[in-house]
Amino acid sequence: MKKLIPILILVFVLQSCENKTKKQEGTEIQKSEPQNTAKINADTVRNVVQPAKNNDLLFDIVGNYTFKDEATDCKIILSLFYENEILKYQMKTNTRELSGNAKIDLNEKKDGYYITFKNIEWSEYSGVTDTEGETSDEDLPLPQDIQGVLYKNEITIQNSGNAMNYYVKLGECDVKYIQLIK
């Protein structure tokens, strides 16, 4: 009987370890299986894809993009390129030259990207207006990143908000939408 107890304990411990290993393997398999995209929210999708090289993308994004609109004096030249496997940008407007890192995230339809240009301070930002048309009394800091939509050979940036959410991202361009064409 005394010999049987240590053997039973040993069998129990070994069985527990085996069950734990099988559960971990099952979890790993489950993680690698495709997920139902209808249940994935936008934040999940954005965190999944940040390609390291231009070859990993849905379409070629590296190159020069320009904004030319006959109705405005605004001129923008934007260059996207990789340096040490990091996506970078250089932007030149009528009044300033900007450069820094850019980040792309796969959109919900998985046919294009959201693009974020880091370290570009917005020209104006009042924040969200309440139902009486009042904004917050506190001075809000200007956001530092500009987001847009990247699809094939075009980048679109909403440059200004409305009465309920007033902002101007690039003050040197007096247009609602900036469309940069490659």
Side-chain angles (χ1 to χ4, degrees), residues 75-81 88-102 117-123 143-146 157 159 169-173 178 180:
K75 302 291 182 224
I76 297 176
I77 300 171
L78 171 75
S79 295
L80 286 178
F81 57 96
K88 303 265 188 181
Y89 72 88
Q90 289 182 334
M91 182 185 296
K92 184 175 181 179
T93 70
N94 295 353
T95 59
R96 56 186 172 161
E97 291 185 27
L98 306 158
S99 63
N101 292 343
F117 302 101
K118 301 286 188 175
N119 300 318
I120 301 178
E121 185 173 79
W122 292 17
S123 296
Q144 300 295 313
D145 297 338
I146 291 181
I157 299 168
N159 192 42
K169 292 179 181 178
L170 297 172
E172 53 264 54
C173 289
I178 297 172
L180 302 166

Side-chain angles (χ1 to χ4, degrees), residues 141-178:
L142 293 172
Q144 300 295 313
D145 297 338
I146 291 181
Q147 297 83 23
V149 176
L150 172 60
Y151 184 73
K152 294 194 178 179
N153 64 344
E154 185 175 318
I155 298 171
T156 303
I157 299 168
Q158 184 172 343
N159 192 42
S160 61
N162 54 30
M164 295 299 288
N165 185 16
Y166 179 76
Y167 62 86
V168 176
K169 292 179 181 178
L170 297 172
E172 53 264 54
C173 289
D174 188 25
V175 293
K176 179 84 171 173
Y177 294 96
I178 297 172

